[in-house]
Amino acid sequence: MADHGGKLRRLVLVASPLQGHMTPMLQLATYLHSKGFSITIAHSQFRRPDPNNHPDFIFHPLPDNLPSNGLSAGFMPFMQALNDNCKPHLIEYLIKIMKEDKESTVMIIHDNLMFFAGSVAKELGLSFMMLRSSSAAFFPAAMIIPKLHQEGRFPVEDSLLQEIVPELDPFRFKDLPFIKRPIEQTLETLILITPKTPPSAFIWNTIEFLEQSVLTQIRDNYKVPIFAVGPLHKIIPTPSTSLLEADTSCISWLDKQEPKSVIYVSLGSLLNTDEKVSTEMAWGLANSNQPFIWVIRPGSVNGFKWFEFLPESLVTDMKKRGLIVKWAPQKEILAHNSVGGFWSHCGWNSTLESVSEGVPMLCQPWDVDQLLNARYLSYVWKIGVEIVVERREIEGAIRRVLVDNEGDEMRQRAIKIQEKVKGAISNGGCTHSSLNDLVDFIMSC
Ligand code: UDP
């Protein structure tokens, strides 16, 4: 356990069961453990991490009383139930460890979706920090929605969707989080996710140079330290954080492909599509004639077990050129020399993983921060193209990224960003310094 000047620090990390949140939490935990801190991961029983992958951590399951179908009741009811049900168990656990271990100071680091942990920490008089796994841009973009609503500017008229939001330049109204949802649901969601008590600090899985102006704006508003520690997956070798088993045959298949020839397709761990969207995706992929790896999570196409709705002849033809898998080792795939493009929903982890490997992207965002991330990729960093989900459009976009000169230019820009990422995580780089500052901050609390 870290003992700086006689003070011991015991960190209780309250993790969310969502893959895109669990991964950065375990990566942060691995880093902090390497600095000598004792780590406890408090997690829901639903989608629990595998303790065998992290023998140095204590894992404490919080009974969550959730139905086994978990998220199918809807995202916000699921989140509310998760937070309400885990709360008494976290209180009980913290009281117990504080009684048993009087030598240590307990501190909480909680995932931003496990918001109950902030109020628990406050009730017990403990310092707490919040780990955020979305782009920093999501924060001001979400927080401005109630103001826009009050001023009659949200929901947004169709004629304004392409316009830039003056307060959020370069983001457009159509990039705002929750833009496709009913306004009442959006406002309810925002009330739920807005921090009631500001944490002692934010830890953000982003990179200072990528989002500097937004981070400055958040620092000015919140007046608490913000540690931009991303991309966490590049900081320290971390044992598997995957909640599902990845199909590793992808890597030996990639070894046999030409350099930069393969398109990797994944819409993340949560997004569901319908038969029409997936069928257009399949035809676009097939007609592009490029080798591919396509992740289709079982059950992710509404109403179907896997991809049995696709015509058999199409699937047979596609399989001559590519792989359709249930879950892939994404980080290894993106780091492979055969991969030339990533067709993604632009979740923040996927975005950071692609940016870190210099892979240009095809952007098919749906909600939350994905729309903002897609805007960064296509308009600000110029390393992605926005996709319209229609077979000919898709075919054209794949060829733009993988075959045309435009793709080469995007790749050159992506490689420059990759070099900057390497600089950020190396000795003296912005992420490296932020991590050192974070350790000092924890010791000063
Ligand atoms: N992922 C993976 N294998 C897959 C699909 C996704 O390992 O087949 C991982 C991916 O590397 C990323 C995470 O799942 O770390 C998805 O997070 P992201 O923020 O991109 O999207 P979300 O799932 O939260 O929508």
Side-chain angles (χ1 to χ4, degrees):
M1 205 179 291
D3 177 359
H4 300 242
K7 286 164 138 190
L8 303 175
R9 288 289 180 279
R10 181 167 184 162
L11 304 180
V12 177
L13 279 61
V14 185
S16 149
L18 305 185
Q19 179 73 69
H21 288 239
M22 179 64 79
T23 295
M25 186 60 94
L26 291 172
Q27 287 159 346
L28 177 68
T30 305
Y31 172 77
L32 291 172
H33 184 264
S34 77
K35 296 290 158 192
F37 294 106
S38 136
I39 301 290
T40 300
I41 306 285
H43 58 87
S44 57
Q45 288 169 319
F46 177 74
R47 292 204 191 143
R48 47 189 10 195
D50 184 354
N52 294 323
N53 289 335
H54 311 274
D56 295 327
F57 303 167
I58 298 166
F59 283 84
H60 182 74
L62 301 167
D64 52 37
N65 221 3
L66 292 169
S68 57
N69 58 355
L71 281 149
S72 57
F75 187 72
M76 285 332 284
F78 167 82
M79 272 302 147
Q80 185 71 68
L82 180 70
N83 276 269
D84 290 348
N85 299 350
C86 289
K87 186 172 179 179
H89 301 289
L90 182 66
I91 296 178
E92 196 183 319
Y93 178 66
L94 292 172
I95 291 176
K96 178 171 162 283
I97 60 171
M98 285 191 296
K99 260 195 203 143
E100 282 172 5
D101 179 4
K102 294 210 165 59
E103 301 299 305
S104 313
T105 306
V106 175
M107 282 187 75
I108 308 288
I109 298 178
H110 74 89
D111 181 273
N112 62 294
L113 290 176
M114 304 298 268
F115 33 84
F116 75 97
S119 42
V120 168
K122 196 175 167 227
E123 272 171 42
L124 299 180
L126 300 174
S127 301
F128 70 102
M129 292 180 269
M130 183 192 283
L131 172 63
R132 299 199 62 101
S133 311
S134 62
S135 51
F138 172 65
F139 205 60
M143 295 308 144
I144 203 176
I145 290 174
K147 175 177 172 273
L148 293 177
H149 180 242
Q150 261 180 3
E151 294 169 359
R153 294 195 283 156
F154 196 96
V156 182
E157 282 172 31
D158 285 355
S159 60
L160 290 178
L161 284 171
Q162 296 290 345
E163 304 277 311
I164 286 177
V165 184
E167 300 90 334
L168 289 176
D169 196 1
F171 300 107
R172 300 158 297 184
F173 282 98
K174 68 181 280 214
D175 304 321
L176 285 173
F178 315 116
I179 188 85
K180 297 173 192 161
R181 296 197 205 181
I183 179 65
E184 294 73 23
Q185 197 188 345
T186 299
L187 295 175
E188 254 174 56
T189 305
L190 288 171
I191 290 171
L192 207 58
I193 63 174
T194 305
K196 308 292 169 289
T197 314
S200 321
F202 289 101
I203 306 169
W204 224 297
N205 189 21
T206 186
I207 317 172
E208 192 72 38
F209 77 81
L210 278 183
E211 297 204 86
Q212 194 158 33
S213 66
V214 179
L215 286 165
T216 304
Q217 191 188 330
I218 303 172
R219 283 188 182 106
D220 289 348
N221 282 346
Y222 273 83
K223 314 270 183 242
V224 295
I226 296 183
F227 301 102
V229 296
L232 278 166
H233 73 284
K234 284 292 195 186
I235 303 300
I236 198 164
T238 311
S240 172
T241 57
S242 191
L243 298 170
L244 297 169
E245 200 184 326
D247 186 335
T248 48
S249 67
C250 298
I251 302 299
S252 46
W253 180 85
L254 278 174
D255 289 342
K256 295 183 208 118
Q257 308 304 316
E258 296 293 317
K260 311 294 174 213
S261 66
V262 175
I263 176 99
Y264 168 61
V265 190
S266 162
L267 303 181
S269 64
L270 291 170
L271 187 64
N272 275 21
T273 55
D274 59 26
E275 181 187 352
K276 187 164 176 280
V277 166
S278 301
T279 303
E280 288 306 300
M281 290 175 73
W283 280 108
L285 257 184
N287 294 342
S288 76
N289 248 334
Q290 295 301 308
F292 68 87
I293 297 174
W294 184 10
V295 180
I296 308 181
R297 282 177 293 109
S300 66
V301 182
N302 296 330
F304 295 92
K305 283 201 172 121
W306 200 14
F307 58 84
E308 61 275 19
F309 53 90
L310 292 176
E312 222 175 287
S313 55
L314 172 64
V315 174
T316 310
D317 184 47
M318 288 179 84
K319 284 190 172 168
K320 289 180 195 148
R321 246 184 332 276
L323 299 180
I324 302 180
V325 298
K326 294 178 176 168
W327 187 254
Q330 179 163 306
K331 289 189 269 297
E332 289 85 338
I333 288 178
L334 291 171
H336 198 289
N337 189 39
S338 298
V339 173
F342 179 15
W343 172 359
S344 167
H345 71 312
C346 304
W348 187 239
N349 290 285
S350 296
T351 302
L352 283 182
E353 289 160 14
S354 206
V355 157
S356 304
E357 303 303 340
V359 177
M361 291 176 78
L362 289 94
C363 309
Q364 186 184 338
W366 176 246
D367 200 358
V368 208
D369 65 336
Q370 298 152 19
L371 301 141
L372 303 156
N373 305 341
R375 179 73 169 164
Y376 270 145
L377 287 158
S378 60
Y379 181 81
V380 182
W381 308 329
K382 299 188 179 2
I383 57 169
V385 295
E386 286 192 65
I387 269 200
V388 176
V389 185
E390 190 280 325
R391 61 188 74 180
R392 272 176 299 274
E393 296 269 355
I394 292 170
E395 179 190 339
I398 294 176
R399 299 186 75 78
R400 276 170 70 190
V401 174
L402 284 183
V403 183
D404 297 350
N405 284 344
E406 190 187 351
D408 285 338
E409 287 162 16
M410 271 191 268
R411 190 161 300 106
Q412 291 316 315
R413 285 192 286 273
I415 288 169
K416 278 197 185 135
I417 298 181
Q418 180 191 19
E419 290 305 320
K420 287 178 85 174
V421 174
K422 285 184 189 158
I425 59 179
S426 62
N427 219 333
C430 53
T431 293
H432 188 263
S433 307
S434 255
L435 283 163
N436 283 339
D437 293 346
L438 171 62
V439 170
D440 290 346
F441 179 80
I442 295 174
M443 291 319 303
S444 72
C445 283

